[in-house]
Amino acid sequence: MLKLRDGIVELYKKVATSLPPDVEEGLKQAFSNEQEETKAKSALGIILENIKMGRDTARPICQDTGVPVFFIKVPAGLSQIDIKNTVLDATRIATEIIPLRPNAVDILTERNSGDNTGIGFPIIYLEETEKSTLSIDLMLKGGGSENAGQIYKLPASDLNAQRDLDGVSKCVLDAVQKAQGRACPPYLLGVGIGASKDQVTRLSKEQLMRKLNDKNESKELAKLESDLLTNINRLGIGAMGFGGNVTALGVKIGVNHRHPASYFVDISMGCWATRRGRLIW
Amino acid sequence: MVASINLAVPLSTEDVRSLKAGDFVQLSGDIVTGRDRIHKFLLEQKPRVEEIPFQLSGSVLYHCGPLIQKSGEEQKIIAAGPTTSMRVEMYAADVIKEYGLKGIIGKGGMGRKTLQALQKNSCVYFHTIGGAAVYLAERIKKILGVWKLDEFGAAEAMWHLEVENFPAMVTMDTHGNDIHHEIENMSLKKFAEFIGGEDRQAVK
């Protein structure tokens, strides 16, 4: 487990200091899609320079190193409790040596634990896999973008949104319209649809782990993802909310079966600095 | 890059009133940081000016919870981008008035109450680039001091910093101009088309 611990510390370091290639590529395209001498282009220029500086100097891209969120797939026979404890050890070490900003605050005492561990912190989702390899996905989820997430129950008459994919679209557009530039656009959007509140919030967050070029297996959802991206960009909010052609880099949608009475839509917002990575063990 | 105006902090009323929404600036001088807890503390405990170890009058308050590296006694700023300003909307107008701030640096813009406070107290809102934390940390030359570190932790403490050519854009000025409000109303029109039905009212 010591080697695994060091592997997770390395994963933390990679995720905190270098943006995934697909997101960086998306930002470069956004830069070329904005007109010269605009506020949005100027913002994107600084963002791209910052990404390079973070990588070159091994410093976290953003001071908000977020809530660490782990999605772990465990082969049969490996102890999930051991893995969880190893993640906690790695988190303490990573916080000190990278460093990460300590973000775990006790609700009652308002004390920051100082090492990014606490009750339910980091967030760890464990699941058994039939494969023989351990797969650890990590996202460092910034607070500003997390705050811009929304959950909807359809139908929603104020949005003229019925229980269908058109209704889902309206929810996503509403979430972006409400967020404006406050959560660091261009955004990545994760959408989860299903039967219960707890399930869709996790599902929407998992969508943020998908690469931007990952195509939805469902034809209908693939089309919805692409149409939504076009329409979000037509809102004109732009990088940093300065106005511009690119408000989002991608939309990813996941679905579960729903109850006849329920139709929940959850939206997770990822900032331009959506930091994620995978360790295969 | 668009040409920018160089400003020395502390700022004068004349400095601030001459700025217009859309101006790019570079700030040099001493600034302070403050986010959620400092705002709540200032409003609830109302510390007297002499209890605060730094000069706030004429200064600029940066909505930022920096990432600090400690090696022994030495502290170094590793990354220091802005945090979402809207969370301190309920406090900002009073803080500006009570402590004589001439500028706020943050991201995402603020509400109507703050916009009015900017007009009344000759203060301006500077927007810098969210997430550009390494780039911005490079413009912070020195940590001059810190207040409430033990009590609030590094992210929520008030840091006194020396900055040089710190880049930002005026998005809310002393004349009532607000770029965020303009963009929001523009996107709302498009949004209303997508939603259909009755047009939504413009944002007040």
Side-chain angles (χ1 to χ4, degrees):
Chain A
M1 285 285 165
L2 269 184
K3 276 195 172 165
L4 176 62
R5 185 198 70 185
D6 293 345
I8 298 170
V9 172
E10 272 310 301
L11 177 66
Y12 262 116
K13 188 166 187 177
K14 187 180 149 217
V15 171
T17 62
S18 61
L19 207 62
D22 61 313
V23 181
E24 187 171 353
E25 187 50 43
L27 290 165
K28 282 180 181 161
Q29 278 176 23
F31 180 78
S32 58
N33 285 340
E34 293 295 356
Q35 307 220 339
E36 295 300 325
E37 301 278 313
T38 55
K39 301 176 182 87
K41 185 142 187 146
S42 162
L44 285 162
I46 291 178
I47 285 170
L48 289 169
E49 197 173 331
N50 182 70
I51 294 165
K52 188 173 178 304
M53 287 171 82
R55 191 172 44 227
D56 291 350
T57 62
R59 281 194 280 169
I61 293 169
C62 179
Q63 81 290 340
D64 183 6
T65 49
V67 181
V69 185
F70 286 91
F71 297 98
I72 305 179
K73 294 202 169 84
V74 188
L78 216 56
S79 160
Q80 299 201 2
I81 293 173
D82 284 353
I83 291 171
K84 205 171 168 176
N85 287 331
T86 306
V87 166
L88 292 177
D89 284 348
T91 301
R92 293 186 186 103
I93 294 168
T95 299
E96 194 179 330
I97 66 168
I98 297 173
L100 304 175
R101 194 178 71 184
N103 280 340
V105 180
D106 186 299
I107 295 289
L108 299 176
T109 64
E110 284 282 304
R111 281 270 160 199
N112 191 316
S113 74
D115 65 5
N116 276 315
T117 69
I119 304 168
F121 205 113
I123 298 168
I124 305 171
Y125 296 116
L126 291 151
E127 199 181 329
E128 194 168 291
T129 171
E130 287 171 350
K131 292 182 181 159
S132 59
T133 51
L134 171 68
S135 158
I136 301 179
D137 283 355
L138 167 63
M139 173 163 49
L140 294 176
K141 187 68 173 69
S145 64
E146 186 64 12
N147 285 345
Q150 302 283 352
I151 188 162
Y152 298 85
K153 285 179 276 190
L154 294 184
S157 56
D158 61 328
L159 294 175
N160 202 18
Q162 303 179 68
R163 299 176 154 207
D164 51 28
L165 293 183
D166 180 62
V168 171
S169 287
K170 288 171 175 166
C171 297
V172 178
L173 287 162
D174 185 60
V176 177
Q177 170 62 20
K178 280 186 177 134
Q180 290 291 309
R182 287 186 279 275
C184 290
Y187 297 126
L188 275 69
L189 290 139
V191 183
I193 310 168
S196 74
K197 299 197 301 298
D198 54 324
Q199 198 183 39
V200 291
T201 49
R202 172 175 169 179
L203 187 60
S204 71
K205 193 156 283 161
E206 265 182 299
Q207 301 310 305
L208 294 178
M209 298 304 296
R210 287 170 54 197
K211 291 205 170 93
L212 288 172
N213 64 5
D214 181 67
K215 204 161 178 202
N216 204 308
E217 283 173 16
S218 148
K219 245 192 200 166
E220 291 93 328
L221 291 179
K223 183 174 183 311
L224 183 61
E225 289 175 354
S226 137
D227 291 350
L228 260 172
L229 180 59
T230 306
N231 287 345
I232 288 167
N233 286 334
R234 284 189 185 145
L235 290 175
I237 295 165
M240 282 299 126
F242 289 171
N245 301 326
V246 186
T247 303
L249 302 178
V251 181
K252 302 291 169 194
I253 303 170
V255 293
N256 287 134
H257 277 59
R258 67 178 182 88
H259 181 279
S262 305
Y263 200 125
F264 283 99
V265 180
D266 187 84
I267 291 132
S268 280
M269 309 271 289
C271 55
W272 67 256
T274 292
R275 288 146 290 170
R276 52 167 151 74
R278 174 173 292 173
L279 170 69
I280 302 282
W281 195 255
Chain B
M1 278 295 288
V2 192
S4 53
I5 301 163
N6 290 312
L7 288 172
V9 187
L11 300 172
S12 69
T13 298
E14 294 69 48
D15 288 339
V16 165
R17 294 198 67 83
S18 71
L19 295 169
K20 299 270 183 328
D23 286 346
F24 282 84
V25 300
Q26 296 210 341
L27 300 164
S28 298
D30 301 0
I31 66 167
V32 293
T33 68
R35 50 179 293 168
D36 311 65
R37 285 193 74 182
I38 281 288
H39 281 80
K40 189 166 185 271
F41 176 80
L42 290 177
L43 262 274
E44 279 182 353
Q45 306 300 322
K46 303 198 187 309
R48 291 191 314 275
V49 171
E50 52 274 24
E51 290 173 59
I52 304 172
F54 327 120
Q55 171 82 23
L56 296 190
S57 176
S59 192
V60 174
L61 176 68
Y62 182 19
H63 296 156
C64 171
L67 170 54
I68 309 280
Q69 187 167 45
K70 275 185 288 187
S71 48
E73 285 300 293
E74 207 192 330
Q75 290 170 318
K76 198 177 151 199
I77 299 240
I78 298 288
T83 192
T84 314
S85 300
M86 201 59 194
R87 283 198 316 276
V88 296
E89 174 66 14
M90 66 190 285
Y91 309 107
D94 291 325
V95 169
I96 290 166
K97 186 174 163 232
E98 281 306 310
Y99 297 96
L101 294 167
K102 285 287 162 218
I104 304 284
I105 309 174
K107 74 170 167 87
M110 300 192 72
R112 310 305 283 165
K113 196 177 158 194
T114 302
L115 185 66
Q116 283 167 8
L118 297 178
Q119 288 175 267
K120 269 188 213 153
N121 301 285
S122 294
C123 181
V124 71
Y125 182 85
F126 299 106
H127 196 299
T128 192
I129 306 300
V134 181
Y135 183 93
L136 294 171
E138 286 293 312
R139 312 298 176 102
I140 298 171
K141 295 298 156 190
K142 211 173 163 187
I143 299 175
L144 300 168
V146 61
W147 186 47
K148 296 281 166 193
L149 178 60
D150 291 339
E151 204 176 327
F152 294 171
E156 296 269 13
M158 180 175 265
W159 295 88
H160 185 207
L161 306 171
E162 183 187 324
V163 299
E164 195 177 286
N165 299 329
F166 193 92
M169 181 174 72
V170 177
T171 54
M172 297 165 73
D173 65 22
T174 55
H175 312 286
N177 300 305
D178 177 355
I179 289 179
H180 308 284
H181 191 235
E182 284 168 25
I183 301 278
E184 188 166 2
N185 274 332
M186 184 202 67
S187 67
L188 189 67
K189 277 190 197 133
K190 205 74 211 170
F191 176 73
E193 282 173 29
F194 289 134
I195 298 302
E198 290 164 40
D199 277 7
R200 286 190 159 191
Q201 292 261 311
V203 184
K204 290 270 161 28

